[in-house]
Amino acid sequence: MSQIPPYLSAIAVEKIYLKSQHKIPVLRGVDFHIRRGELVSIIGQSGSGKSTLLHLMGLLDKPTIGEIHIEGQRVDDLPAATRDELRNRVFGFIFQFYHLLPELSVLENVLAPLMIRDSTLTYWRNRHEYETRAREMIDKVGLSHRLKHRPSELSGGEMQRAAIARALVAEPSILLADEPTGNLDAQTGRGIIDLLKKLNAEQKLTVVMVTHDESIAAQAGRIVRLANGRLQRLEEAAA
Ligand code: ADP
Ligand code: MG
């Protein structure tokens, strides 16, 4: 076991959804610890609660029972505004369907999180630095030749690359990826995973990736399986 303390933890987490008076228990006691610099995949069948777990760890939702900790501090019970601020600082998110803004170019999409984070004045003062940073990020994901393109003018793989650049422009500690290859053909999906592996290896980016695809999951340094509301450790592979 590594000596590095966990950076992000779910502790005895349970999640029960309420739907028209019915209780739907999805997570039934999950303990999950992520260390800085890891590339972990969570595998599980559709409906097993993978997205639910990712949302809880990324402070998009709260557990019914249990706790989320960042660097040993409980964070799930913080006031909403503090959690929002923490979420924006700590996490980058990517999703199966990219969620790019259709009216904006690749460059504008990547700048959007900085625009939203800052006041207009702060953004205006820093715009040259931000644009340089956004262009560097777009270069890292291999999309420099598509700066002015809109999402509708991109392939699926290119849209996911743009979404990765957008998720990373504010320099989060952890990238949470929910089925990042779910809408891509196998070869394009493999390119996205190779990019995540490169960012993990070269930038020490911590990545938690959810997938239902065994071959995609196998690319991670550590795999856990979600089944019947609980996590099982699968293997510690050489990434
Ligand atoms: P996965 O990502 O593994 O496919 P999810 O976490 O999306 O699974 O969903 C797990 C279960 O919880 C599913 O049965 C789903 O229908 C249910 N569920 C998810 N979100 C909600 C919600 N907001 N309200 C009620 N049930 C939900
Ligand atoms: Mg899901």
Side-chain angles (χ1 to χ4, degrees):
M1 200 55 193
S2 169
Q3 297 302 305
I4 309 166
Y7 181 66
L8 174 66
S9 295
I11 299 167
V13 161
E14 298 182 31
K15 183 68 180 179
I16 302 163
Y17 290 114
L18 273 180
K19 198 151 193 191
S20 49
Q21 316 293 331
H22 290 287
K23 287 183 175 176
I24 308 170
V26 174
L27 303 178
R28 300 163 182 262
V30 168
D31 288 287
F32 189 29
H33 302 280
I34 294 153
R35 294 184 292 274
R36 271 191 197 272
E38 275 199 295
L39 170 55
V40 190
S41 51
I42 304 171
I43 190 159
Q45 292 184 340
S46 180
S48 60
K50 303 182 298 297
S51 296
T52 298
L53 179 58
L54 209 66
H55 292 170
L56 295 177
M57 300 207 72
L59 307 181
L60 290 166
D61 196 5
K62 289 168 117 179
T64 312
I65 299 171
E67 302 181 0
I68 305 296
H69 288 207
I70 295 177
E71 293 188 306
Q73 300 289 312
R74 185 172 183 188
V75 293
D76 60 281
D77 61 346
L78 293 171
T82 316
R83 270 191 306 138
D84 291 347
E85 192 272 326
L86 197 58
R87 182 195 313 118
N88 292 335
R89 192 151 47 79
V90 173
F91 299 102
F93 294 91
I94 57 170
F95 305 96
Q96 181 175 359
F97 294 108
Y98 327 118
H99 297 235
L100 296 168
L101 295 168
E103 301 301 319
L104 302 185
S105 68
V106 167
L107 181 59
E108 290 162 343
N109 264 286
V110 173
L111 283 166
L114 302 173
M115 229 178 261
I116 291 163
R117 185 189 66 181
D118 285 359
S119 69
T120 310
L121 185 62
T122 308
Y123 183 81
W124 185 249
R125 283 198 183 124
N126 291 305
R127 68 193 185 285
H128 294 300
E129 184 208 318
Y130 287 174
E131 191 166 321
T132 304
R133 202 201 293 178
R135 284 171 183 270
E136 283 170 5
M137 212 52 244
I138 291 166
D139 189 40
K140 267 184 201 146
V141 302
L143 220 52
S144 291
H145 57 308
R146 296 284 185 267
L147 275 183
K148 305 286 173 180
H149 285 58
R150 295 205 178 168
S152 62
E153 298 163 336
L154 301 175
S155 71
E158 288 173 337
M159 282 194 267
Q160 195 59 293
R161 285 171 192 273
I164 292 169
R166 180 187 55 183
L168 300 182
V169 75
E171 299 173 329
S173 307
I174 301 188
L175 180 69
L176 301 179
D178 195 350
E179 305 267 7
T181 64
N183 201 39
L184 303 173
D185 63 74
Q187 193 186 341
T188 308
R190 184 62 203 249
I192 294 296
I193 298 305
D194 287 346
L195 173 59
L196 296 180
K197 285 170 77 171
K198 184 179 107 169
L199 292 165
N200 172 254
E202 291 176 6
Q203 322 269 313
K204 305 277 175 268
L205 178 70
T206 309
V207 181
V208 183
M209 173 173 74
V210 153
T211 179
H212 63 271
D213 183 324
E214 302 272 353
S215 67
I216 293 288
Q219 297 299 311
R222 179 160 72 106
I223 310 171
V224 295
R225 181 182 298 278
L226 193 51
N228 304 316
R230 291 203 170 84
L231 272 193
Q232 305 162 284
R233 188 190 188 83
L234 281 193
E235 59 193 84
E236 197 121 349

